[in-house]
């Protein structure tokens, strides 16, 4: 139970289909109108009448177990449970009567007969539903005493780092079990025993840490007592207020309440609970957002500015003023000596929209060039290009809720269970309800085959061959008459469709012909194509396993082709849905952080757009593109790019071919790093400006649904300035002052200059909770579903098919490097781990491992847990092996969360043809068993 | 800038557009893509490399497109 609970209507809202008219009934004489299918309990809550309850909560389906919510209905016998009784027209319901009071007191008495009456010392004191219900029913004594059988001595399970389980306090309401089943879909909890002996158990009865529990916290949020409660809440007691904000981890963008106690600038965080009002997550969370926020106050935070003349010198703490003057002076010196274009900036998808906007403005207006790029370069830049070329808008087409209406779901190159867990829970819920699932992934990710979700078809391409598979799927759709010809005729360009049709219909693009390249049996491709194309509603979800390839942009366009060809766009349940890796990938792209685009994806060569910004900013803007991140590093090595402002990003760890990146950084004359911690890039920095966490500032993030949500300050910036203020101060030191009093002023400017954001303001965000762009006069409440009725950003409103020819990657296996390495993420760690490695999440995943197939392991004499050397043409590193059939023979896999394992030491400079997004997913490597742990590898014994 | 990188990037762009049925349009698209996404020093350095070492490392469509690029 939340210490500061949001309203709980007892049962979920009815799934109103619009076919049945609303019902009118009376609760305690109060008339109320509700949708058909609404429970009496919810109807009562809507009428302002609270019915006592214990097992019911509006996040979960009602089960009618606790018998506390009994009511009387005129003309009916008995006292039915209001949570499981649907409202009917004309019903007259009483929630209070002497008989109901007596029944409820008896229920409470029995419940409390096996509960420690230690309220004054209980962590949930004052925020306990059991306590509240005892008061509500007027319980004054428990006649049964505690002399009989009880569970008060049951041992506590504190194995989980974030929450404890105290079975002595458990009232066996099953809310935790149901939350795990219905919300999270892990089915990790169960009830053992029968009758009085019934107990809640994790897994088969061991500890939470040994079970399938993924620590999402749904059970903790659902628990009405202190049985399952956060350890921080145990330690700190009740919160006095809560601040609504948005998670700073993945691109789902969950809404949270930060519960705090103490002074406004330096509060103690009691806990973070997922908000039911969060329009992306609806009260659900994952182990990162829910629990892994301790990094914000970790002892490693650097909170004083520092400078040094050379990267070999020790750091020297200085004032903000000195640090900013030094940085600005160095940038101006470099420009004087090496030209205007010798400096630039990298912004982070972890920063807010307002911060990203400010940095690109600083680069364009103060530096006077377009050398600004975002870390979206190395993840979803192909999405921006590919969807822009085909559908006209560089963004996903749906809401997350849209998946609830999908009949066939395709997941390609994404592992949402690990990387987008809250959306994954929703997707799995839809699959459990009957939707068919196609997974296209070189690995057997959990969605392929887990206890409650199984893919109907798993296509397992060799890394680097997505386009071959997607084109083969298109071939089947075209040659087997599975096109939605009416959609294509009405909504798409005639000529580009004809060209694409002719191309994919060629025999060389058949599944049989492409099988040799992709390794995917043709029959499976045909089965997948038929399943996708014949569904009423089919939706494609994809991730970095699509974009981070030499043909990343081609694959995105091939996906858009499939959706257009089958008419799966422009309504709920369908669409093309990029799953963005970081919290604000979408936003950083929207904000003009790419070197060729001003905010709103408008090319710098567009004179009208440039003129609008020139007038607003009072400067002349360059009409030619700036350097992208990989180009910056190449230019640094040839001596023409020597100054970098790097905000919230760590390319020395996150970008491919580490040796090359580090050499480039070392060649620069002024690297300014603005971050929470002294990250890997800071090793090459001359100026360190302390960053602020998402808890320390106001702003907005835009998630993968194009949903703009507010980030609200919970505490004062530890270093005295929020990131947006630091950028303002740097701009001023550069001689280009910007006048903003608050991030809302920045958003107002964005709205004035960016048509898709024209209707966005903090006032409207506060009023509506969130907004999905485009939000303007044509769509004042935002746009949940894109391309309804037409592709409005395309010429003539017509979708454009693009020919997507498979071109083999330059990264091919050889006798020297006979395996293909692909990379990914785990649930508990986030990107380069700078945040999550500084939390107890290391208990779940403490090092990067190399997954290798048993066949390849046996050939090399490698056993599970052995140290292995991993070598590519770019470099070599070492880590421990995990022998598993999740990967196919010939393929190895690892994550990149720990700098000591250095996955990016081996990834190469191969990149997407259109955007330079690195080909992280395909690297030819060799793996050898090491006789002993390497001296440099982390986690070595 | 690193000529090998520039050549490789240019050829990969050519690999995409060479599949288009209208060759003339495909050449224009290669030139347009480079003009819209490459920072001027990249184009300048590629041209300088070609001037000094010839264009044998470039694919045919990229060679044609390079001529069309604005100065």
């Amino acid at each position: 139970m939340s210490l500061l609970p949001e309203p709980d209507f007892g049962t979920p809202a009815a799934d109103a289909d619009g076919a049945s008219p609303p019902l009118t009934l009376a609760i305690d004489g109060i008339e109320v109108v509700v949708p058909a299918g609404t429970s009496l309990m919810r109807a009562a809550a809507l009428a302002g009448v609270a019915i006592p309850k214990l097992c019911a909560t509006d996040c979960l389906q009602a089960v009618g177990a606790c018998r506390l919510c009994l009511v009387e209905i005129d003309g009916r016998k008995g006292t039915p449970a209001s949570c499981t009784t649907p409202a009917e027209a004309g019903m007259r319901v009483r929630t209070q009567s002497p008989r109901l009071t007596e029944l409820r007191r008896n229920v409470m008495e029995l419940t409390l007969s096996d509960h420690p009456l230690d309220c004054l010392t209980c962590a949930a004191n004052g925020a306990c539903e059991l306590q509240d219900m005892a008061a509500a029913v007027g319980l004054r004594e428990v006649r049964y005493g505690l002399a009989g059988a009880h569970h008060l001595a049951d041992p506590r399970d504190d194995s989980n780092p974030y929450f404890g389980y105290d079975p002595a306090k458990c009232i066996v309401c099953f809310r935790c079990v149901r939350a795990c089943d219905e919300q999270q879909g892990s089915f990790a909890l169960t009830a053992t025993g029968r009758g009085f002996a019934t107990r809640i158990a994790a897994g088969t009865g061991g500890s939470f840490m040994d079970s399938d529990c993924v620590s999402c916290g749904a059970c903790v949020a659902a628990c009405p007592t202190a049985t399952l409660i956060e350890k921080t809440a145990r330690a700190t007691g009740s919160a006095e207020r809560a601040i609504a904000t948005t998670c700073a981890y993945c691109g789902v963008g969950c809404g949270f309440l930060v519960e705090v106690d103490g002074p406004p600038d330096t509060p103690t965080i009691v806990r973070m609970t997922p908000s039911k009002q969060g329009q992306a997550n609806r009260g659900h969370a994952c182990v990162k957002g829910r629990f892994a926020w301790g990094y914000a106050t970790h002892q490693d935070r650097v909170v004083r500015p520092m400078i040094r003349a050379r990267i070999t010198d020790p750091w020297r703490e200085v004032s903000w003023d000195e640090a900013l003057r030094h940085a600005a002076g160095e940038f101006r010196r470099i420009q004087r000596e090496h030209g205007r274009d010798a400096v630039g900036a990298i912004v982070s998808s972890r920063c807010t929209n307002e911060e990203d906007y400010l940095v690109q403005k600083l680069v364009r207006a103060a530096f006077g060039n377009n050398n600004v790029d975002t870390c979206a370069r190395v993840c979803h830049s192909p999405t921006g290009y590919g969807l822009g070329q085909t559908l006209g808008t560089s963004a996903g087409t749906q809401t997350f809720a849209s998946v609830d209406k999908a009949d066939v779901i395709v997941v390609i190159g994404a592992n949402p269970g690990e990387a987008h867990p809250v959306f994954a829970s929703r997707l799995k819920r839809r699959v459990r309800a009957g939707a068919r699932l196609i997974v296209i992934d070189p690995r057997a990710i959990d969605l392929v085959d887990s206890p409650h979700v199984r893919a109907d078809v798993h296509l397992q391409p060799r890394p680097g061959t997505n386009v071959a598979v997607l084109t083969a799927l298109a071939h089947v759709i075209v040659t087997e008459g599975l096109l939605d010809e009416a959609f294509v005729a009405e909504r798409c360009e005639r000529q580009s469709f004809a060209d694409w049709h002719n191309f994919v219909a060629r025999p060389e693009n058949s599944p049989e012909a492409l099988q040799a390249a992709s390794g995917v049996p043709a029959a499976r491709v045909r089965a997948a194509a038929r399943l996708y194309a014949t569904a009423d509603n089919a939706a494609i979800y994809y991730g970095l396993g699509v974009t981070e390839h030499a043909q990343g942009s081609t694959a995105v366009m091939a996906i858009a082709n499939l959706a257009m060809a089958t008419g799966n766009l422009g309504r709920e349940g369908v669409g093309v849905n990029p799953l963005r890796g970081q919290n604000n990938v979408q936003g950083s792209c929207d904000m003009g952080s790419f070197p060729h685009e001003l905010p709103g994806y408008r090319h710098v060569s567009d004179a009208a757009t440039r003129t609008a910004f020139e007038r607003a900013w009072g400067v002349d803007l360059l009409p030619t593109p700036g350097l992208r991140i990989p180009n910056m590093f190449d230019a640094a090595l040839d001596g023409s790019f020597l100054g970098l402002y790097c905000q919230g990003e760590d390319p020395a760890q996150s970008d491919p071919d580490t040796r090359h990146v580090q050499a480039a950084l070392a060649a620069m004359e002024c690297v300014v790093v603005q971050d929470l911690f002294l990250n890997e890039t800071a090793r090459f920095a001359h100026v360190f400006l302390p960053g602020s966490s998402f808890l320390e500032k106001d702003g907005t993030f835009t998630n993968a649904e194009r949903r703009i949500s507010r980030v609200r300050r919970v505490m004062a910036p530890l270093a005295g300035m929020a990131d947006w203020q630091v950028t303002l101060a740097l701009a001023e030191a550069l001689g280009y002052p910007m006048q903003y009093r608050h991030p809302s002023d920045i958003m107002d400017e964005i709205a004035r200059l960016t048509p898709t954001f024209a209707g966005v303001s903090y006032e409207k965000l506060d009023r509506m909770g969130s907004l999905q762009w485009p939000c303007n006069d044509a769509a004042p409440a935002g746009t949940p579903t894109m391309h309804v009725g037409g592709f409005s950003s395309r010429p003539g409103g017509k979708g454009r098919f693009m020919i997507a020819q498979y071109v083999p990657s330059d990264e091919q296996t050889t006798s020297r490097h006979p395996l293909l390495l692909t990379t990914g993420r785990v649930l508990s760690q986030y990107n380069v781990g700078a945040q999550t490695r500084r939390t107890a999440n290391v208990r779940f995943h403490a090092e990067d491992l190399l997954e290798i197939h048993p066949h390849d392991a046996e050939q090399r004499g490698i056993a599970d847990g052995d140290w292995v050397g991993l070598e590519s043409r770019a470099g070599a590193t070492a880590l421990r092996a995990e022998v598993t059939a999740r990967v196919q023979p010939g393929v190895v896999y690892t994550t990149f969360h720990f700098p000591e394992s250095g996955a990016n030491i081996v990834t190469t400079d191969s990149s997407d043809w259109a955007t330079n997004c690195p080909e992280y997913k395909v690297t030819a490597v060799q793996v050898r068993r090491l006789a002993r742990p390497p001296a440099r590898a982390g986690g070595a014994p | 800038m690193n000529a090998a990188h520039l050549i490789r990037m240019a050829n990969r762009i050519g690999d995409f557009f060479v599949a288009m049925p209208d060759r003339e349009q495909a050449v224009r698209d290669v030139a347009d893509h480079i003009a819209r996404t490459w920072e001027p020093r990249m184009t300048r350095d590629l041209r300088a490399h070609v001037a000094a070492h010839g264009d044998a490392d470039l694919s045919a469509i990229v060679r044609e497109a390079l001529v069309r690029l604005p100065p």
Side-chain angles (χ1 to χ4, degrees):
Chain A
M1 178 186 174
S2 172
L3 298 176
L4 296 165
E6 297 177 297
D8 186 346
F9 295 91
T11 63
D15 191 10
D17 56 6
S20 307
L23 311 168
T24 302
L25 69 160
I27 310 280
D28 293 341
I30 303 169
E31 280 211 344
V32 59
V33 181
V34 298
T38 301
S39 72
L40 290 181
M41 176 178 280
R42 188 176 181 91
L46 291 167
V49 175
I51 299 176
K53 62 182 179 60
L54 279 175
C55 70
T57 181
D58 59 11
C59 289
L60 305 172
Q61 296 300 317
V63 294
C66 75
R67 315 311 292 174
L68 201 61
C69 69
L70 308 178
V71 293
E72 294 173 341
I73 305 170
D74 278 2
R76 298 198 184 183
K77 292 179 181 174
T79 52
S82 63
C83 64
T84 53
T85 304
E88 293 177 20
M91 266 185 172
R92 304 192 72 78
V93 180
R94 279 183 305 284
T95 70
Q96 300 291 340
S97 73
R99 178 171 64 152
L100 291 172
T101 300
E102 190 59 28
L103 284 168
R104 288 174 185 154
R105 278 185 187 156
N106 283 337
V107 168
M108 284 303 299
E109 225 179 333
L110 287 165
T111 302
L112 288 172
S113 70
D114 188 20
H115 189 80
L117 300 177
D118 59 353
C119 294
L120 290 181
T121 55
C122 178
N125 186 25
C128 170
E129 289 185 50
L130 187 65
Q131 198 178 44
D132 293 345
M133 292 306 108
V137 305
L139 189 68
R140 296 291 173 264
E141 63 171 339
V142 177
R143 288 168 291 170
Y144 308 111
L146 293 172
H150 58 74
H151 298 92
L152 305 188
D154 285 6
R156 211 160 81 170
D157 175 4
D158 281 334
S159 60
N160 188 287
Y162 295 117
F163 62 86
Y165 169 53
D166 185 353
K169 297 180 188 292
C170 179
I171 59 171
V172 202
C173 65
F174 295 90
R175 275 163 61 160
C176 55
V177 177
R178 289 148 55 210
C180 191
D181 296 356
E182 294 175 24
Q183 283 188 286
Q184 169 55 30
S186 284
F187 297 84
L189 304 183
T190 190
T192 62
R194 299 177 69 83
F196 181 78
T198 304
R199 307 310 293 160
I200 304 302
T204 54
S207 73
F208 269 78
M209 278 300 272
D210 292 335
S211 74
D212 291 334
C213 169
V214 293
S215 299
C216 69
C219 58
V220 180
C223 182
T225 70
T227 306
L228 285 156
I229 194 166
E230 299 87 347
K231 291 180 175 176
T232 50
R234 259 193 210 156
T236 54
S238 298
E240 63 178 18
R241 62 189 185 280
I243 297 122
T245 193
T246 304
C247 181
Y249 280 118
C250 80
V252 175
C254 294
F256 273 91
L257 294 175
V258 187
E259 300 184 5
V260 299
D261 193 22
D265 280 351
T266 56
T268 299
I269 297 176
V270 175
R271 62 180 171 184
M272 283 181 59
T273 54
S275 172
K276 290 194 290 188
Q277 307 305 315
Q279 289 159 322
N281 59 314
R282 294 293 178 197
H284 193 38
C286 79
V287 64
K288 294 190 287 288
R290 178 76 153 90
F291 297 117
W293 39 264
Y295 70 87
T297 51
H298 192 275
Q299 61 186 11
D300 288 351
R301 282 287 298 272
V302 179
V303 295
R304 290 191 176 82
M306 301 188 295
I307 63 174
R308 57 185 174 181
R310 289 176 296 273
I311 60 174
T312 49
D313 291 346
W315 285 108
R316 183 166 64 86
E317 287 186 2
V318 295
S319 66
W320 275 107
D321 186 53
E322 183 176 353
L324 291 162
R325 275 192 290 111
H326 179 78
E330 280 295 278
F331 284 136
R332 288 305 191 207
R333 177 191 64 77
I334 290 168
Q335 288 189 296
R336 277 196 308 276
E337 293 176 4
H338 302 278
R340 178 194 60 195
D341 300 332
V343 299
I346 298 174
V347 299
S348 173
S349 298
R350 290 201 286 270
C351 293
T352 64
N353 286 317
E354 293 76 3
E355 290 157 357
D356 288 339
Y357 179 86
L358 281 191
V359 173
Q360 63 88 30
K361 180 175 177 178
L362 178 147
V363 169
R364 294 189 159 111
F367 285 170
N369 62 43
N370 282 315
N371 291 334
V372 60
D373 207 358
T374 161
C375 62
R377 170 70 50 212
V378 299
C379 66
H380 264 288
S381 51
T383 288
Y385 180 81
L387 297 186
Q389 290 291 312
T390 49
L391 309 182
T393 306
S394 299
T397 62
Q398 310 295 125
T399 63
F400 288 136
S402 168
V403 78
D404 297 345
K405 297 189 176 174
D407 302 303
V408 169
I409 300 166
V410 180
V411 177
I412 172 169
N415 191 357
E418 304 284 346
H420 304 88
V422 170
F423 171 69
S425 292
R426 190 161 204 159
L427 184 154
K428 287 189 278 191
R429 191 156 58 235
R430 181 62 190 153
V431 172
R432 292 199 302 275
R436 311 288 296 276
L437 177 64
I438 299 166
V439 173
I440 306 175
D441 200 295
R443 288 174 75 232
I445 61 173
D446 284 350
L447 285 178
V448 170
D449 189 7
S450 55
H452 299 274
V453 171
R454 181 168 296 167
D456 295 86
V457 185
H458 178 206
L459 308 182
Q460 203 165 8
R462 290 193 188 99
T465 64
N466 283 335
V467 172
V469 173
L470 290 162
T471 298
L473 289 167
H475 176 92
V476 177
I477 289 167
V478 162
T479 58
E480 294 192 7
L482 303 176
L483 290 164
D484 184 337
E485 293 182 0
F487 182 95
V488 171
E490 181 190 341
R491 302 280 305 272
C492 303
E493 291 178 348
R494 185 179 300 175
Q495 186 60 51
S496 70
F497 170 71
D499 292 343
W500 173 80
H501 185 287
N502 292 341
F503 170 76
V504 297
R506 290 180 195 161
E508 64 263 34
N509 288 324
S510 70
E512 290 74 15
L514 289 168
Q515 178 174 326
S518 70
V520 181
R524 279 195 210 172
V525 174
R526 288 188 177 275
R530 291 165 189 153
L531 189 57
Y532 173 74
T534 58
D536 287 341
N537 286 334
I540 300 177
Y541 294 84
Y542 72 89
L544 305 182
V546 164
T547 57
E548 290 177 344
H549 285 87
Q551 283 202 287
S553 291
T554 313
V556 172
M557 290 186 277
I559 287 170
N561 291 338
L562 290 177
M564 287 190 288
T566 56
N568 279 306
L569 285 162
R571 62 182 186 277
E572 288 189 292
V574 299
V576 176
N577 303 276
L579 295 172
R580 309 284 190 162
Q582 299 188 85
N583 51 313
N584 202 34
V585 172
Q586 180 71 57
S588 71
C589 300
D590 301 341
M591 291 298 103
S593 303
F594 285 139
H596 65 299
E597 287 174 336
L598 289 158
Y601 302 97
R602 291 166 293 169
H603 199 268
V604 292
S605 63
D606 175 1
T609 301
R610 224 173 41 249
T611 300
F613 282 93
E614 286 173 340
R615 284 184 181 149
W617 295 351
V619 294
D620 292 333
L621 297 175
L622 282 184
T624 49
L627 293 166
R628 296 174 288 199
I629 292 173
N631 313 144
M632 290 180 190
F633 295 142
D634 279 354
L637 288 169
D638 84 355
S640 65
F641 185 83
L642 298 170
L644 177 67
Y645 173 32
C646 186
Q647 185 187 65
E649 188 50 19
D650 190 9
Q653 188 185 346
S654 64
D655 285 28
D657 196 355
T658 303
R659 208 160 48 188
H660 173 74
V661 172
Q662 294 187 351
L665 289 167
M668 294 188 201
E669 294 180 2
C670 179
V671 174
V672 177
V673 166
Q674 184 175 337
D675 209 290
L676 303 181
F677 305 105
L678 276 173
N679 59 20
E680 293 298 299
T681 304
R683 291 170 47 211
F684 303 90
H686 306 82
V687 179
F688 185 88
L689 303 176
S692 48
S693 76
F694 76 113
L695 295 170
E696 297 159 47
K697 57 196 179 189
D698 283 298
T700 56
F701 293 149
T702 306
N703 76 353
E705 311 165 285
R706 297 166 279 105
R707 185 184 300 283
I708 307 158
S709 301
R710 282 280 279 114
V711 178
R712 293 183 178 87
R713 190 178 110 144
V714 172
M715 62 176 73
L718 297 190
M721 282 209 277
D723 287 319
W724 65 275
Q725 294 169 308
V726 175
T727 303
L728 287 191
L730 180 59
E732 182 153 5
L734 286 161
Y736 184 79
M738 304 183 202
Q739 307 298 330
Y740 305 103
R741 292 159 302 167
H742 187 268
S744 62
D745 296 341
I746 306 169
M747 179 56 79
D748 290 344
E749 180 174 310
I750 294 166
R752 280 197 301 277
L753 292 169
T754 312
T756 47
F757 277 65
V760 179
S761 69
Y762 277 31
E763 181 277 324
K764 192 191 270 188
L765 287 167
D766 289 343
R767 182 160 36 90
M768 301 189 66
S770 64
L771 292 163
Q772 289 174 274
W773 67 259
C775 178
N776 46 31
D777 287 345
T783 309
T785 305
M786 295 286 287
H787 313 310
V788 177
F791 298 97
S792 58
S793 299
R794 290 279 314 145
K798 304 285 189 183
R800 179 192 191 191
F801 283 84
M802 295 291 288
I803 289 174
Q805 177 166 273
Y806 168 62
V807 178
S809 167
D810 289 347
E811 278 297 299
Q812 294 293 322
T813 55
T814 61
S815 56
R816 188 175 170 201
H817 298 122
L819 302 170
L820 286 178
L821 169 73
T822 189
T823 60
R825 302 162 188 229
V826 296
L827 170 65
S828 57
Q829 296 291 340
Y830 178 70
N831 277 19
V832 296
Q835 294 142 288
T836 45
R837 281 187 281 107
R838 291 181 170 94
T839 70
N841 276 26
V842 292
R843 292 268 309 275
F844 304 108
H845 183 85
E847 61 182 316
D848 295 321
L849 300 170
L850 185 79
E851 290 186 4
I852 184 168
H853 189 273
H855 173 75
D856 295 323
E858 185 179 5
Q859 279 191 330
R860 291 163 175 77
I862 295 168
D864 207 50
D866 279 353
W867 281 96
V868 294
L870 177 67
E871 178 194 301
S872 74
R873 64 182 169 88
T877 187
L879 62 175
R880 281 199 280 206
E882 180 180 1
V883 179
T884 172
R886 271 196 297 274
V887 289
Q888 54 186 296
V891 175
V892 292
Y893 166 89
T894 190
T895 51
F896 58 99
H897 304 302
F898 290 82
E900 52 269 31
S901 52
N904 283 323
I905 293 169
V906 296
T907 53
T908 70
D909 58 0
S910 180
S911 67
D912 174 47
W913 68 269
T915 66
N916 275 158
C917 177
E919 191 170 40
Y920 290 103
K921 302 299 182 185
V922 190
T923 306
V925 296
Q926 177 59 292
V927 178
R928 292 188 179 84
R929 183 177 179 277
L930 298 178
R932 62 182 66 86
R936 55 152 290 278
Chain B
M1 290 173 66
N2 186 311
H5 285 184
L6 296 172
I7 290 165
R8 187 180 183 190
M9 286 163 55
N11 284 339
R12 296 293 302 202
I13 294 167
D15 287 346
F16 176 79
F17 287 106
V18 78
M20 306 304 155
D22 181 339
R23 171 78 180 187
E24 180 60 24
Q25 181 62 45
V27 172
R28 283 200 299 270
D29 286 345
V30 172
D32 186 55
H33 186 85
I34 291 174
R36 289 175 69 85
T37 61
W38 281 28
E39 203 255 8
R41 88 189 76 175
M42 297 165 68
T43 319
R44 184 193 65 212
D45 287 1
L46 180 62
R47 281 197 170 114
H49 175 83
V50 168
H53 304 285
D55 60 8
D57 294 334
L58 294 173
S59 64
I61 194 169
V62 174
R63 284 199 295 269
E64 291 178 54
L66 204 54
V67 178
R68 311 276 184 97
L69 272 173

